[in-house]
Amino acid sequence: MRRWRTLLAVLAATVTAATMSPAPASADPVTPTVVGGTTATLGEFPFMVRLSMGCGGALYSPTLVLTAGHCVSGTGTNTSITATFGVIDLQSTSRVTRKSNYVYRAPGYNSTGDDWALIRLASAVSGTNIGTLPITTSTTYDTGNFTIAGWGAASEGGAQQRYLRKATVPFVSDTTCNSSSMYAGQVNAAREICAGFTAGGVDTCQGDSGGPMFRQGASGLVQVGIVSWGDGCARPNKPGVYTQVSYFSAAIKAAATSLGG
């Protein structure tokens, strides 16, 4: 059974970084980081976005955030989402926020695939420590080592992290990921990509859904995956499963164009 890496109980709550109490992160009711990771540095990943429904995302353009389809309720006008940019500390007074005005979810989205969506912002975002992340348009970068980042739980069932964390995970082949010792055929080999360690210990987790998996490309970082699902967090033989951006790149670009981004 697929276990999304989002916080379903938070989807209707739309708790934002701007409304968080300055109390310690462990006291916050939101339980949205990367298991086995380290704290990122300010400006290291300027494209990282925190979404108020308990998901992550990447800034695709100054007006669009790329996230997971299961993080949103569908396509249409939506002014309820708050996106936070430009910080590693969600309680920083330097954070920049924008409200959404429209959501586009992949037309083929269902509970077993096409797990991507675009959130259009009410106004363009810019500023210090804010930048965009290009998506890969081919399978060239779909192997090797990837970087994952987010504010989700640092352990399975754990609490939201106040500070952005990061980690490195290796590619896992479709054959291995779909083997009986891992996901036994549950992974859509054409549309999903796996990454993680056989021994476990490093992974995305609840609250990281929608965030990017990325690596070095020909001229900078490129996004190759979107945090989607997995069995628990950082368990042995249960790597993270990510939406394979290369497969959907043309559709994502077309949707972005239609949204003015």
Side-chain angles (χ1 to χ4, degrees), residues 108-228:
Y109 170 78
N110 56 52
S111 61
T112 59
D114 290 31
D115 191 19
W116 64 269
L118 287 165
I119 297 171
R120 189 172 67 192
L121 307 174
S123 62
V125 64
S126 63
T128 305
N129 300 316
I130 298 175
T132 57
L133 178 63
I135 62 172
T136 186
T137 57
S138 75
T139 59
T140 302
Y141 303 113
D142 285 353
T143 59
N145 291 322
F146 309 117
T147 300
I148 50 177
W151 288 272
S155 62
E156 188 172 334
Q160 168 183 345
Q161 300 297 294
R162 172 175 170 176
Y163 297 95
L164 179 68
R165 288 168 64 87
K166 64 178 181 177
T168 300
V169 287
F171 169 73
V172 177
S173 73
D174 293 334
T175 300
T176 300
C177 202
N178 263 330
S179 66
S180 59
S181 63
M182 290 192 176
Y183 286 114
Q186 295 180 66
V187 176
N188 187 320
R191 304 183 181 203
E192 295 175 323
I193 182 171
C194 299
F197 295 93
T198 301
V202 182
D203 198 4
T204 49
C205 200
Q206 277 65 53
D208 289 320
S209 275
M213 181 171 74
F214 49 96
R215 55 157 291 176
Q216 187 66 35
S219 56
L221 296 175
V222 293
Q223 183 170 356
V224 299
I226 300 169
V227 179
S228 185

Side-chain angles (χ1 to χ4, degrees), residues 51 62 81-85 96-100 121-126:
L51 298 169
I81 301 168
T82 300
T84 300
F85 309 85
V96 176
T97 61
R98 290 289 188 276
K99 297 293 287 188
S100 62
L121 307 174
S123 62
V125 64
S126 63

